[in-house]
Amino acid sequence: EVQLVESGGGLIQPGGSLRLSCAASGFTVSSNYMSWVRQAPGKGLEWVSVIYSGGSTYYADSVKGRFTISRDNSKNTLYLQMNSLRAEDTAVYYCARDLLLGWFDPWGQGTLVTVSS
Amino acid sequence: QSALTQPASVSGSPGQSITISCTGTSSDVGGYNYVSWYQQHPGKAPKLMIYEVSNRPSGVSNRFSGSKSGNTASLTISGLQAEDEADYYCSSYTSSSSVVFGGGTKLTVL
């Protein structure tokens, strides 16, 4: 079964750092495009970042320079390193396999990040 | 990148058909056939319903269909059922090598 499980969310103070993990099963992370998508409480979906199978990475303007997407092929796991966190980064963060330029399937269950003092 | 434009809400009675529009620009919806649609029930992760404008993943009911004309994509749900009540989001690949979502549409089945 193809599955994604996120972890690493929690409460963090503004300016702090957090690393999210997304463990995959049923497929190989390094052979696929993988994305992070977030959803602020009561709001819509916002694409955050993608890492291509070849290693190229792209980011939304709202997180560029603060967030870094990466993967560990030996652990079949995707990561999102989030630095200089702001209140507006508060959201449920989902990882998703990106089958082809924005075709996300499946999605993980999400992990909540709350940035607050 | 500005969000794609969707109506905030639509409604229909069981058995009826509804259509949700998703308007972008020539840099996203109009420029690529990489438009997807997602269904999200409260407290749940989004679920892919349509990819590449009009293709249905295995397991998705054929009551769901997608299309595109110019800079506007559309999702049509026919034979509305109570379980279709959810939020629906469109997305598109963009010329900036990013993905943009619509603001979401709340579907109410009356």
Side-chain angles (χ1 to χ4, degrees):
Chain A
E1 180 189 8
V2 174
Q3 190 175 13
L4 295 166
V5 178
E6 301 98 333
S7 60
L11 175 62
I12 187 77
Q13 292 188 339
S17 297
L18 207 58
R19 189 179 79 159
L20 305 183
S21 300
C22 170
S25 57
F27 71 99
T28 303
V29 165
S30 62
S31 299
N32 286 268
Y33 295 3
M34 296 293 297
S35 278
W36 288 96
V37 176
R38 68 184 181 183
Q39 186 170 34
K43 303 296 184 182
L45 301 172
E46 179 188 18
W47 176 81
V48 173
S49 180
V50 64
I51 182 167
Y52 287 172
S53 51
S56 298
T57 58
Y58 297 91
Y59 299 91
D61 288 343
S62 57
V63 306
K64 200 171 296 182
R66 301 188 299 123
F67 289 12
T68 302
I69 190 171
S70 64
R71 66 192 181 207
D72 184 329
N73 297 344
S74 66
K75 296 182 178 180
N76 208 31
T77 298
L78 177 73
Y79 300 102
L80 186 68
Q81 177 67 44
M82 304 185 295
N83 299 330
S84 303
L85 282 162
R86 308 166 179 166
E88 54 265 36
D89 295 319
T90 293
V92 173
Y93 285 74
Y94 297 99
C95 65
R97 182 175 61 176
D98 186 348
L99 286 164
L100 185 61
L101 302 178
W103 167 9
F104 301 121
D105 184 54
W107 297 61
Q109 85 285 355
T111 187
L112 176 62
V113 173
T114 303
V115 184
S116 174
S117 54
Chain B
Q1 186 72 44
S2 299
L4 305 176
T5 300
Q6 297 181 231
S9 63
V10 298
S11 63
S13 299
Q16 290 186 330
S17 295
I18 64 95
T19 297
I20 300 172
S21 61
C22 170
T23 301
T25 69
S26 59
S27 296
D28 38 65
V29 175
Y32 305 92
N33 286 325
Y34 296 126
V35 175
S36 299
W37 288 90
Y38 301 89
Q39 176 192 66
Q40 186 179 36
H41 287 108
K44 300 294 187 181
K47 174 188 176 184
L48 177 70
M49 304 303 285
I50 296 287
Y51 65 94
E52 291 182 296
V53 176
S54 59
N55 294 305
R56 269 189 319 275
S58 174
V60 172
S61 171
N62 59 9
R63 298 185 298 105
F64 292 82
S65 62
S67 62
K68 189 183 85 167
S69 177
N71 295 337
T72 298
S74 299
L75 173 71
T76 298
I77 308 174
S78 59
L80 269 179
Q81 299 180 0
E83 58 262 36
D84 298 333
E85 186 162 293
D87 293 326
Y88 291 84
Y89 295 90
C90 61
S91 73
S92 175
Y93 179 72
T94 84
S95 60
S96 303
S97 299
S98 64
V99 174
V100 62
F101 283 94
T105 298
K106 181 177 180 59
L107 168 62
T108 300
V109 180
L110 301 171

